[in-house]
């Protein structure tokens, strides 16, 4: 097996945070279902499944190699008959990559060699069908198969040696086909046709001696012997050795009969021993071809992955992306592949995302909670990864300037066992991004600075956004609830505000999941709290407090009160909360809870 060497520049770098946050191979809950790999993995072979996982975790940055992978996927996508036929044949291929290793180290069973044989037979048929395919513009996509070594000699050897269904244990026999070992065939014949062999010997001895009454018999005590009556004893040949005298004659043994008896009585044992030794030789001979089998397995894995990506693209409406050397990112009507498949029951709302180093390369994204900001950011990152892995993307069209790194800072989490709080984890990930990102990187940031005080968090978020724009100059999407950051679009030439549209009606909210230009000055947190089932009294109290805080922030410091002027008393907390209640939507239980809460507030006001 020849190792493939590569440097960091050969692959798009994905750190652990990106793999986790984008749910490439596992969801955030640790489940395989719901991940991108689970969605895409419809491979027919174990080698293809491993190759697909490797592609997702190590996308390419070499544009020519990426395009060759796209060519192979497009070939299978455009030719449904070839795709279906190839996938049916690939389903007959076992894990020859691992079986070759087991064979090389002397652990393969007869059944394992049978799987290798059946797999090579299926690959031979696949090779013949694809090579016989009518010429087309994308034939070079199959060059790896056309030039691959099909290991025909290994297939011929195993075809000649093994029975159709080899056993799982080599000690029980029944491994080799008739005609492979002449000595084994003889032993098997003796074991199964011993009576015929003895009758043949009896016939030949009668003809040779002229004794018509000569008989070859067998007992458990004496074994095989030749019995001759007294009247014919004078015709007994000299080479007959007397073994026993009986009332009617004599019993004799010959060297040939003794050898035949030994062969018959020990035929099964010798056959198993012979098969065991021959199997070790066969396994060693196949094991020497392990490097060739590995090379063939890699070709099969690549074909399986290409055919699988084509099948998924056909079924889910993915398109071939254009990957080039620019630094643009244009995703027209892009979709989140897993959300579209598993979560969007009422249909997924696509969004167009456009980042351009000469135009908008920093997108400042605001809008309500649950509106789809994180989804929009992640689907852009997944499109980059899927495209540079060699697959098609969930969009109407896609143009992607090759990316060297994808960084994510999404969600809140802690690592208490390592002594790191939520904010410390957030800052550690932000530090990694700011130190590692280049102008060819793609960065998505969600809620930087939310783990500390408002002014600290706003200051950090502001500085991070400025650094990505001015120093790193990478393509980035920065989602935030700090609406003050919308000012950056006026200050930074390559930054622009976008928000996820929503409409509010009677204290409820309708999420449109649509990206539109411009910033948002509201987060609709109370509407989301209502959707989550927060008790009405809490919602009313929060609404009253929100109104108070917004009024306080918008009002200039009050002038000094005149000496004889009586100031208007502020509304009590009870009054403000009562005005914010939505009485018509309250249940009797909610009303009782609310009444108790208002009583507590009234008591506190009196104190």
């Amino acid at each position: 097996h020849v190792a493939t060497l590569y440097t960091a520049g050969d692959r798009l770098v994905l750190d652990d945070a990106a793999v986790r946050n984008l749910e490439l191979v596992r969801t955030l809950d640790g489940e395989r279902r719901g991940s991108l790999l689970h969605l895409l993995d419809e491979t027919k072979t174990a080698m293809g499944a491993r190759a697909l996982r490797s592609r997702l975790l190590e996308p390419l940055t070499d544009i020519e190699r990426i395009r060759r992978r796209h060519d192979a996927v497009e070939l299978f996508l455009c030719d449904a008959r070839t795709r279906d036929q190839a996938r049916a044949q690939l389903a007959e291929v076992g894990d020859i990559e691992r079986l070759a290793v087991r064979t090389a180290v002397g652990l393969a069973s007869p059944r394992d060699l049978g799987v290798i044989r059946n797999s090579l037979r299926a690959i031979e048929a696949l090779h013949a069908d694809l090579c016989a395919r009518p010429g087309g513009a994308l034939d070079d996509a199959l060059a790896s198969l056309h030039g691959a070594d099909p290991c025909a000699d290994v297939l011929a050897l195993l075809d000649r040696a093994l029975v159709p269904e080899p056993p799982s244990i080599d000690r029980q026999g029944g491994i080799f086909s008739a005609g492979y070992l002449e000595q084994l065939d003889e032993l098997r014949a003796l074991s199964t046709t011993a009576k015929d062999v003895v009758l043949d010997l009896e016939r030949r001895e009668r003809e040779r001696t002229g004794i018509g009454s000569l008989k070859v018999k067998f007992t458990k005590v004496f074994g095989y012997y030749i019995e001759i009556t007294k009247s014919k004893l004078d015709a007994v040949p000299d080479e007959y050795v007397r073994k026993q005298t009986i009332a009617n004659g004599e019993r004799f043994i010959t060297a040939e009969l003794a050898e035949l008896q030994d062969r018959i009585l020990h035929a099964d044992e010798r056959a198993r021993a012979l098969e065991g030794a021959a199997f070790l030789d066969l396994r060693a001979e196949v094991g020497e071809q392990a490097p060739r089998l590995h090379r063939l397995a890699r070709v099969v894995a690549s074909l399986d992955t290409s055919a699988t990506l084509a099948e998924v693209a056909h079924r889910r409406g993915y398109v071939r992306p254009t990957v080039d050397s620019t630094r643009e990112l244009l995703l027209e009507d892009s979709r989140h592949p897993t959300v579209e498949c598993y979560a969007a029951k009422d249909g997924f709302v696509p969004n167009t995302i456009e980042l351009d180093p000469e135009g908008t390369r920093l997108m400042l994204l605001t809008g309500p909670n649950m509106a789809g900001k994180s989804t929009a950011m992640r689907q852009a990152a997944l499109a980059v990864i899927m495209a540079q892995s060699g697959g098609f993307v969930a969009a109407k069209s896609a143009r992607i300037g090759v990316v060297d790194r994808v960084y994510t800072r999404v969600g809140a989490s802690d690592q208490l066992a390592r002594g790191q709080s939520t904010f410390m984890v957030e800052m550690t990930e932000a530090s990694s991004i700011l130190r590692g990102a280049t102008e060819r990187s793609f960065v998505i940031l969600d809620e930087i600075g939310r783990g500390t005080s408002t002014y600290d968090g706003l200051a950090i978020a502001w500085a991070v956004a400025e650094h990505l724009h001015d120093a790193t100059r990478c393509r980035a999407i920065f989602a935030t609830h700090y609406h003050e950051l919308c000012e950056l679009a006026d200050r930074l030439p390559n930054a622009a505000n976008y928000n996820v549209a929503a409409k509010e009606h009677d204290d409820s909210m309708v999420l449109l999941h649509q990206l539109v230009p411009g910033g948002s000055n509201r987060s609709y947190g109370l509407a989301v709290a209502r959707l989550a089932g927060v008790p009405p009294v809490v919602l009313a109290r929060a609404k009253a407090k929100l109104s108070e805080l917004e009024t306080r922030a918008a009002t200039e410091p009050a002038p000094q009160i005149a000496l004889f002027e009586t100031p208007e008393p502020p509304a009590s907390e009870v009054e403000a909360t009562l005005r914010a209640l939505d009485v018509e939507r309250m249940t009797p239980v909610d009303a009782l809870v609310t009444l108790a809460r208002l009583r507590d507030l009234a008591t506190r006001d009196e104190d």
Side-chain angles (χ1 to χ4, degrees), residues 352-365:
T352 296
I353 298 174
E354 184 173 5
L355 298 174
D356 183 350
E358 303 303 323
T360 299
R361 65 169 180 264
L362 174 61
M363 179 186 293
L364 297 167
L365 188 56

Side-chain angles (χ1 to χ4, degrees), residues 167-396:
S168 58
I169 302 175
D170 58 338
R171 295 186 299 273
Q172 68 185 33
I175 301 172
F176 294 102
S177 299
Y180 180 68
L181 294 173
E182 182 178 352
Q183 186 178 359
L184 177 62
D185 292 342
E186 293 177 358
L187 290 172
R188 285 176 174 172
L190 281 174
S191 179
T192 57
T193 62
K195 183 177 181 180
D196 294 336
V197 173
V198 170
L199 290 176
D200 181 65
L201 175 64
E202 182 182 82
R203 178 186 56 77
R204 288 188 285 107
E205 287 301 308
R206 284 179 178 179
E207 293 176 353
R208 187 172 72 87
T209 62
I211 303 175
S213 60
L214 181 149
K215 293 182 179 179
V216 178
K217 295 184 177 181
F218 173 82
T219 64
K220 292 183 178 180
V221 177
F222 295 105
Y224 286 96
Y225 56 87
I226 298 174
E227 184 175 294
I228 300 177
T229 59
K230 289 182 178 181
S231 61
K232 300 294 183 178
L233 289 178
D234 56 346
V236 173
D238 295 336
E239 63 270 19
Y240 278 33
V241 178
R242 181 179 285 104
K243 189 173 185 179
Q244 183 185 19
T245 300
I246 58 176
N248 297 328
E250 300 282 348
R251 292 174 176 175
F252 298 90
I253 190 73
T254 65
E256 182 181 3
L257 184 58
E259 180 184 355
L260 178 61
Q261 173 179 283
D262 182 68
R263 289 168 58 197
I264 291 174
L265 296 181
H266 298 89
D268 287 339
E269 181 181 345
R270 290 181 178 178
R272 285 193 294 269
L274 180 61
E275 275 197 290
F279 173 72
L280 295 180
D281 293 340
L282 177 65
R283 184 170 64 188
E285 188 173 354
V286 175
E288 292 175 356
Q289 308 305 317
R292 296 171 60 197
L293 292 171
H294 282 148
R295 289 192 291 270
L296 181 60
R298 287 197 295 273
V299 173
V300 172
S302 179
L303 283 172
D304 189 14
T305 304
S306 298
T308 294
L309 292 175
E311 178 69 21
V312 174
H314 166 72
R315 191 178 304 165
R316 305 198 178 279
Y318 297 170
V319 298
R320 175 172 179 162
T322 299
V323 179
D324 53 32
S325 59
T326 68
R327 289 168 51 212
E328 296 181 5
L329 177 62
L330 173 58
L331 304 172
E332 182 183 4
D333 288 346
S334 69
R335 313 182 305 275
H336 193 296
T338 55
V339 173
E340 176 187 41
C341 177
Y342 298 119
K345 298 179 180 179
D346 299 325
F348 190 91
V349 178
N351 278 298
T352 296
I353 298 174
E354 184 173 5
L355 298 174
D356 183 350
E358 303 303 323
T360 299
R361 65 169 180 264
L362 174 61
M363 179 186 293
L364 297 167
L365 188 56
T366 53
N369 291 290
M370 295 178 58
K373 298 190 299 296
S374 293
T375 299
M377 292 192 301
R378 295 185 201 197
Q379 70 193 42
L382 290 177
V384 170
I385 293 170
M386 291 170 68
Q388 294 188 209
S389 296
F392 287 16
V393 300
K396 183 178 179 181

Side-chain angles (χ1 to χ4, degrees), residues 72-228:
V73 175
E74 186 170 349
L75 183 150
F76 285 114
L77 179 63
C78 296
D79 191 341
R81 180 178 177 277
T82 298
R83 181 177 73 247
D84 294 342
Q85 191 173 33
R87 284 171 57 79
Q89 290 165 336
L90 286 166
E92 303 297 322
V93 178
D95 195 350
I96 57 176
E97 187 174 38
R98 288 189 173 178
L99 291 177
V101 174
R102 288 179 56 83
T103 304
V105 299
L107 295 177
S109 67
R111 184 169 294 172
D112 291 337
L113 294 188
V115 173
I116 292 177
R117 176 200 57 195
N118 297 341
S119 301
L120 291 177
R121 191 180 295 158
I123 294 171
E124 182 181 59
L126 173 64
H127 184 275
D129 288 344
L130 291 180
C131 289
R133 177 180 173 272
L138 297 176
D139 276 350
D140 60 332
L142 299 178
S144 60
L145 178 65
H146 291 173
D149 173 13
C151 299
D153 54 331
V154 179
L155 173 59
L157 173 63
L158 294 175
D159 253 339
R160 184 167 56 89
L162 299 176
V163 297
E165 297 291 337
S168 58
I169 302 175
D170 58 338
R171 295 186 299 273
Q172 68 185 33
I175 301 172
F176 294 102
S177 299
Y180 180 68
L181 294 173
E182 182 178 352
Q183 186 178 359
L184 177 62
D185 292 342
E186 293 177 358
L187 290 172
R188 285 176 174 172
L190 281 174
S191 179
T192 57
T193 62
K195 183 177 181 180
D196 294 336
V197 173
V198 170
L199 290 176
D200 181 65
L201 175 64
E202 182 182 82
R203 178 186 56 77
R204 288 188 285 107
E205 287 301 308
R206 284 179 178 179
E207 293 176 353
R208 187 172 72 87
T209 62
I211 303 175
S213 60
L214 181 149
K215 293 182 179 179
V216 178
K217 295 184 177 181
F218 173 82
T219 64
K220 292 183 178 180
V221 177
F222 295 105
Y224 286 96
Y225 56 87
I226 298 174
E227 184 175 294
I228 300 177

